[in-house]
Amino acid sequence: MRPWAVPTRKLSRVLDAVQRLLDQSEYVEVLSGEPRTQDDNEAPGDGKTIRLLDVKKGSAAYPIAIGNVKPALKLIRDTGNGIENPAESDWTSPTLSALEELSGVAKSLGCQIEFVLPGDKSRRHGDVLATITPSTYHNVQQSAFVEGDTKIYATVERVGGATTMHCGVRLINQPSKMVICQVRQESLIRDLGQWIYQEVSLIGRATWLRRGYEVVGFVIESVEPPKTGSIMDALRRIHAAGGSGWDDVADPDAEIAELRG
């Protein structure tokens, strides 16, 4: 098998599985569905951590390949420009998630991560497309997000948390993505558990992307149960409250046109 034919995600999964096999650490599943392993606090000389071999001394450089070269280079270059001017950029959730992870790695290793073009005969590396430092995500998030108190309508799908209280919900206008919410009180967890797979109103503090207003986080402070009754019953109540007055209007269209005028 050609080495460059192996996707990095599959390679990462293989290395992670071998790491767990050798140090016998448990696979931890958090509420968000992201896999975590208990190796974050390993010391450099612990004798358990798998490390790369046959690499040259100096900066750790890893050549990578991708099929759609032009779109990939543009995305990395745009990310680099966005890091330089966070307030002027249109940030997306995947980009911010990647920057958070990369900044965390840079901080834990005490380094910076660079995306550079291939070099030529005169130099080893080409131009730098983007640089991620330990403080990159912190600097970017101050411009990427806005917060405010609000009410959202969502379907409750997951409730719980081993160490912290969380709730996974799916918003009506963001059906393809689950939003992981923090829960203020333990009593709210019990309330939310009663409405699993049902639509409820959640009151609290939301975090949106500054451009596009995609909800990326929510702190639940209270919950309102789903509304009961049919839409026909609601229309009948509206009609009984005065909507029947239109029955006495000879030409409703003309009346509405005159009101608009």
Side-chain angles (χ1 to χ4, degrees), residues 6 16 21 31 33 66 106 108 164 169 171 186 191 210 217 234 238 243 257:
V6 180
D16 184 64
L21 172 66
L31 183 63
I66 191 169
S108 66
T164 57
V169 303
L171 306 185
E186 186 175 350
D191 292 340
R210 182 173 53 85
I238 294 173

Side-chain angles (χ1 to χ4, degrees), residues 1 6-23 27 35 37 39 50:
M1 178 179 288
V6 180
T8 55
R9 286 181 177 176
K10 292 188 181 297
L11 178 61
S12 176
R13 288 172 58 188
V14 169
L15 293 175
D16 184 64
V18 174
Q19 181 68 72
R20 295 198 307 273
L21 172 66
L22 296 179
D23 63 18
Y27 184 83
T37 54
D39 61 356
I50 299 174

Side-chain angles (χ1 to χ4, degrees), residues 83-98:
I83 291 172
E84 297 297 326
N85 299 284
E88 302 300 323
S89 299
D90 293 329
W91 297 104
T92 66
S93 293
T95 298
L96 292 169
S97 176

